[in-house]
Amino acid sequence: MLDTISGFFAEYGQILGQGTVDTLIMTVVSTILAYVIGLPLGVLLVITQPHGIWPHKWLNRALGWIINVGRSLPFIILMLAIMDFTKLLVGTKVGIRGAVVPLVVSAAPFIARLVETSLSEVDAGVVEAAQSMGASTFQIVWKVYLPEARPSLTLGGSISIITILAYTAIAGCVGAGGLGDLAIRYGYQRKVPSMMLATVVLIVIFVQIIQSVFSWLSKAIDKRLK
Amino acid sequence: MAQPIIEIRHLTKTFGTGDTAVTALEDINLEVRAGEIFGIIGLSGAGKSTLVRCMNLLERPTSGSVVVDGQELTALTEAQLRKARRSITMIFQGFHLLMQRTVLHNVCFPMELSGVPKARQRQRALELLELVGLADKAEAYPAQLSGGQKQRVAIARALATDPKVLLCDEATSALDPNTTASILELLKDLNRKLGVTVVVITHQMSVIEEICSRVAILDGGVIAEQGEVEDIFSNPRTEIGRQLVYPSCVRIAQLPASRVIRLAFNGGSSYEPLIASLAIDCGVKVNILGADTRNMDGRAFGTMLLGLPQDPGEAAKALEYIRCQPNITVEEVEHHA
């Protein structure tokens, strides 16, 4: 048994390590970039509502429509559909760089909805109080909505990261590298069951760690619970 | 007569348009004088909250004018209005504190908005917390405070920009009677010390009675009557006024006595048997015509209507006796039996 395991690591250890690193890089970079786009979109969705602090009916509808389109496409189809755009943007359709573009395009609308949900939980009365003190729209977003929603945004963060982690595995289908790629090429195509097992175990461990850390963090920063 | 600090003229507010339009306020005219505590009372749905929100333009009136401290609010640009709001601050029934900030940073918040330097913010916030009696809670979070303490923080926060007017939207409605009394006491105190004009919105007559000098009664979006609190209390002219002033279920026109007085219990000891003492000490028998009193922690709150004896001497004696009691206010009720 031990021989089998050490034999497996001797043969595949290095590519498994590389796959893990690739997956983590893709996940982290895509999550950050997806938040750069998704967070402002989510904020706009909330404040442009008819009873929001910056009501713009048509902007709100247009945003909602675009986000719904983005969310309705399954990741694998979106990834293939925008390949030319990906090439144009980062110069390649494959590898980590090629995967990050569709990952971001797919996750940003998803994140926008998560952010919208988190911000909607902020007590409307607190927002009104800030308005009554003469806060500007930007000040309300920056000093009321985002800080007050921090615990909920943090929980949303774990959902986003785990979703993107799952997407990286799909991106493995088209040469993105990472654990998904190993599972497909070695575990499935070359019939190495221990490789399939190793990738599955690693991904499960990552998801557990991410969820635990973010759940803990969300509670730790929430001052309502003390 | 003091200068009006809030002047509302022909204010109308309609929600929605066309067939579904609802008129929340109709042709409201009122003046709040600088330095007074003005009450607006009405049943729920009367338009009180909408009216108070028209005073800082959280609600924009459909028509009419709102002049606060010499500025016509409806004519201001967004930026000017934001600046004007620093001198017309507000506290709420639900406190509306920032739950993720400490008490100190909640009080700093309005100063942060207007760009006061950090060190000055902190110093001023600590002074204000001292003023509302919560200096020791500066580093606590709102979730750790009681309702009364939260409202004190909200008051400190509302005072941070040195406002001329403090609007109180049902500020004591979520609090128990003892805490209500202490918050009202604080508001009265701040009004006296700082000269800040206070506008109180409430559905509780006891609140008006406790701190207001003048009152407007709002009913169905119009002002039913307004004037000095004592006048309205002793002689409410409208049905809604009578409903609010007298205990429930009393129809004043049908009262069987010729002279009727109204007592208000403002939190004095409920262990004092007033009516019995009156009979024993003065030998005067009065008739309880209606009462709506509550005993909270040994303190009496509420109102009572008493019919005085026919004999003028006895009636005067009874009146004199009751007037000497602490924590009870008395008014004669005009009615025509």
Side-chain angles (χ1 to χ4, degrees):
Chain A
M1 176 72 184
L2 275 176
D3 284 352
T4 330
I5 292 177
S6 61
F8 170 75
F9 277 107
E11 194 177 352
Y12 296 113
Q14 209 202 331
I15 57 167
L16 200 57
Q18 186 61 48
T20 304
V21 170
D22 287 353
T23 291
L24 292 181
I25 290 176
M26 273 191 287
T27 306
V28 171
V29 171
S30 304
T31 304
I32 292 171
L33 293 177
Y35 263 95
V36 168
I37 299 169
L39 185 71
L41 283 180
V43 168
L44 276 176
L45 274 177
V46 171
I47 67 174
T48 58
Q49 279 168 14
H51 293 286
I53 57 170
W54 195 56
H56 278 83
K57 192 171 150 192
W58 291 108
L59 179 58
N60 189 265
R61 283 193 186 176
L63 279 175
W65 190 80
I66 292 168
I67 286 166
N68 286 345
V69 169
R71 289 204 59 201
S72 52
L73 290 178
F75 176 66
I76 191 152
I77 295 172
L78 178 119
M79 185 173 61
L80 299 172
I82 66 165
M83 270 193 156
D84 290 330
F85 171 72
T86 303
K87 174 112 200 240
L88 194 74
L89 208 64
V90 294
T92 175
K93 295 176 183 176
V94 295
I96 292 179
R97 282 186 356 183
V100 164
V101 176
L103 282 173
V104 170
V105 170
S106 178
F110 172 72
I111 288 172
R113 288 292 182 204
L114 279 180
V115 169
E116 181 191 24
T117 309
S118 292
L119 298 194
S120 302
E121 288 165 16
V122 173
D123 183 2
V126 177
V127 174
E128 191 191 33
Q131 285 179 307
S132 81
M133 291 174 225
S136 65
T137 303
F138 178 78
Q139 284 174 322
I140 293 174
V141 169
W142 194 245
K143 290 175 183 288
V144 179
Y145 269 125
L146 293 177
E148 288 293 298
R150 210 158 37 200
S152 172
L153 287 170
T154 305
L155 275 184
S158 67
I159 298 174
S160 306
I161 297 182
I162 290 168
T163 304
I164 290 173
L165 180 67
Y167 286 175
T168 63
I170 301 172
C173 289
V174 287
L179 293 172
D181 179 39
L182 296 183
I184 292 161
R185 280 197 293 137
Y186 293 83
Y188 177 66
Q189 290 165 347
R190 294 189 200 172
K191 309 271 184 280
V192 185
S194 43
M195 185 54 113
M196 190 62 105
L197 183 67
T199 55
V200 168
V201 168
L202 279 173
I203 289 176
V204 168
I205 289 173
F206 288 147
V207 169
Q208 295 292 351
I209 291 175
I210 293 166
Q211 191 60 60
S212 307
V213 167
F214 276 74
S215 296
W216 171 81
L217 193 65
S218 171
K219 285 205 186 78
I221 62 172
D222 192 349
K223 306 302 182 189
R224 288 171 299 185
L225 305 173
K226 302 264 164 69
Chain B
M1 185 173 118
Q3 199 64 22
I5 189 149
I6 303 177
E7 213 178 336
I8 290 178
R9 291 277 165 259
H10 304 296
L11 183 147
T12 295
K13 174 73 189 181
T14 313
F15 290 106
T17 48
D19 293 343
T20 56
V22 178
T23 302
L25 295 170
E26 203 174 347
D27 198 27
I28 302 287
N29 291 288
L30 63 82
E31 279 179 10
V32 178
R33 298 168 194 161
E36 76 173 333
I37 303 184
F38 187 87
I40 298 171
I41 189 168
L43 306 174
S44 36
K48 310 182 291 283
S49 286
T50 308
L51 178 55
V52 77
R53 277 164 181 72
C54 285
M55 293 179 181
N56 58 7
L57 247 58
L58 280 179
E59 291 288 357
R60 195 166 273 278
T62 310
S63 66
S65 102
V66 181
V67 177
V68 179
D69 197 24
Q71 271 185 314
E72 172 59 63
L73 295 188
T74 58
L76 299 182
T77 63
E78 276 297 315
Q80 288 170 324
L81 181 61
R82 284 201 295 270
K83 201 156 175 233
R85 280 180 180 159
R86 289 177 204 163
S87 58
I88 323 162
T89 56
M90 197 166 180
I91 58 172
F92 305 85
Q93 178 172 5
F95 322 122
H96 299 340
L97 299 175
L98 294 152
M99 299 304 282
Q100 305 293 347
R101 281 179 175 235
T102 60
V103 162
L104 182 74
H105 286 111
N106 263 285
V107 181
C108 286
F109 183 68
M111 296 185 272
E112 223 176 283
L113 296 177
S114 57
V116 174
K118 275 238 157 62
R120 174 83 194 108
Q121 281 178 29
R122 197 187 153 78
Q123 183 198 350
R124 177 83 182 121
L126 288 170
E127 283 168 21
L128 288 164
L129 285 173
E130 187 78 43
L131 189 66
V132 300
L134 279 181
D136 56 325
K137 297 286 185 195
E139 298 305 326
Y141 286 92
Q144 298 164 307
L145 305 180
S146 69
Q149 290 174 325
K150 284 183 197 163
Q151 198 59 290
R152 282 169 188 269
V153 176
I155 291 171
R157 182 175 71 173
L159 294 174
T161 46
D162 295 313
K164 297 216 163 94
V165 180
L166 177 61
L167 306 174
C168 309
D169 183 22
E170 297 276 11
T172 58
S173 301
L175 304 173
D176 65 67
N178 282 338
T179 313
T180 295
S182 79
I183 292 290
L184 293 179
E185 196 51 50
L186 175 64
L187 288 174
K188 214 170 6 178
D189 201 41
L190 295 171
N191 167 261
R192 226 173 9 233
K193 272 192 201 154
L194 310 175
V196 61
T197 306
V198 180
V199 177
V200 174
I201 300 292
T202 183
H203 63 272
Q204 298 165 302
M205 209 60 193
S206 55
V207 169
I208 301 285
E209 192 155 15
E210 186 71 26
I211 66 169
C212 296
S213 50
R214 292 193 310 130
V215 63
I217 298 180
L218 206 57
D219 185 29
V222 297
I223 292 184
E225 50 185 311
Q226 61 177 319
E228 304 292 324
V229 170
E230 302 92 77
D231 295 345
I232 302 255
F233 267 63
S234 51
N235 186 19
R237 288 182 180 79
T238 57
E239 185 54 40
I240 181 73
R242 283 188 281 269
Q243 250 188 58
L244 289 164
V245 171
Y246 301 135
S248 45
C249 315
V250 175
R251 292 196 154 263
I252 197 76
Q254 297 163 2
L255 292 176
S258 57
R259 281 185 78 185
V260 176
I261 57 170
R262 174 181 170 281
L263 310 189
F265 297 89
N266 304 323
S269 171
S270 46
Y271 300 113
E272 292 293 323
L274 174 75
I275 306 300
S277 308
L278 181 67
I280 295 163
D281 295 354
C282 308
V284 176
K285 287 181 250 174
V286 294
N287 185 11
I288 301 177
L289 302 170
D292 180 11
T293 57
R294 275 165 311 232
N295 174 18
M296 302 282 184
D297 292 335
R299 299 172 68 194
F301 290 92
T303 55
M304 191 182 275
L305 280 183
L306 296 179
L308 295 178
Q310 296 287 352
D311 180 77
E314 282 198 351
K317 215 157 90 183
L319 204 53
E320 188 52 37
Y321 183 86
I322 297 169
R323 284 222 165 98
C324 293
Q325 304 297 318
N327 293 309
I328 291 178
T329 51
V330 191
E331 280 109 14
E332 184 139 5
V333 175
E334 280 179 29
H335 85 296
H336 312 281

